[in-house]
Amino acid sequence: QLQLVESGGGSVQFGGNLRLSCSASGLALDDAGVAWFRQAPGKEREGVSAISDVRGGSRIVYGDSVKGRFTISRDNAKNIVYLQMNNLKPEDTAVYYCAADPNYWGLNQLYDYWGQGTQVTVSI
């Protein structure tokens, strides 16, 4: 019953922008840590960004390779977490995954729930 579904992936040119969405059913994302990960062929899956409001305020962390270019945000009413990606580079090409867990947040792969992934391709 619980599902995380990513959308918004596609192909863009170098320097372009793209916005990914993570939609959930069976889990309130405002009661959980939520993160974006990505995996390129032949490489380990890496943490991109994470967000949590479960203890009040808004806690956000970014991976070093995306700082200053990517922005994570959420719409609690819609139960959606977004990843705005600006100034995209070919090295950003990967499958992007959404993950959520009511008891964890961060860039380590300790989340209980994962989406199926969405492809992002950045051409030169």
Side-chain angles (χ1 to χ4, degrees):
Q1 185 177 4
L2 190 150
Q3 283 188 305
L4 298 175
V5 179
E6 303 94 337
S7 62
S11 298
V12 298
Q13 293 183 341
F14 189 107
N17 307 323
L18 205 60
R19 192 186 201 189
L20 305 183
S21 299
C22 175
S23 300
S25 61
L27 175 68
L29 295 181
D30 60 354
D31 290 330
V34 184
W36 289 95
F37 295 81
R38 67 185 184 185
Q39 186 169 28
K43 293 189 175 182
E44 294 284 327
R45 186 152 57 188
E46 65 172 341
V48 175
S49 183
I51 186 170
S52 176
D53 296 332
V54 297
R55 292 185 177 271
S58 184
R59 304 168 68 193
I60 295 175
V61 65
Y62 295 98
D64 290 339
S65 63
V66 306
K67 289 179 180 178
R69 299 188 298 121
F70 290 10
T71 302
I72 192 170
S73 63
R74 68 197 310 151
D75 187 331
N76 291 334
K78 297 180 179 180
N79 204 30
I80 296 175
V81 172
Y82 302 99
L83 183 69
Q84 178 67 48
M85 304 183 294
N86 296 331
N87 191 25
L88 284 162
K89 306 174 181 179
E91 62 208 62
D92 296 317
T93 295
V95 177
Y96 283 71
Y97 298 90
C98 177
D101 196 312
N103 299 306
Y104 176 79
W105 88 285
L107 295 181
N108 294 319
Q109 300 184 50
L110 300 176
Y111 292 87
D112 285 341
Y113 308 110
W114 294 79
Q116 81 291 342
T118 185
Q119 177 71 46
V120 172
T121 302
V122 185
S123 61
I124 60 175

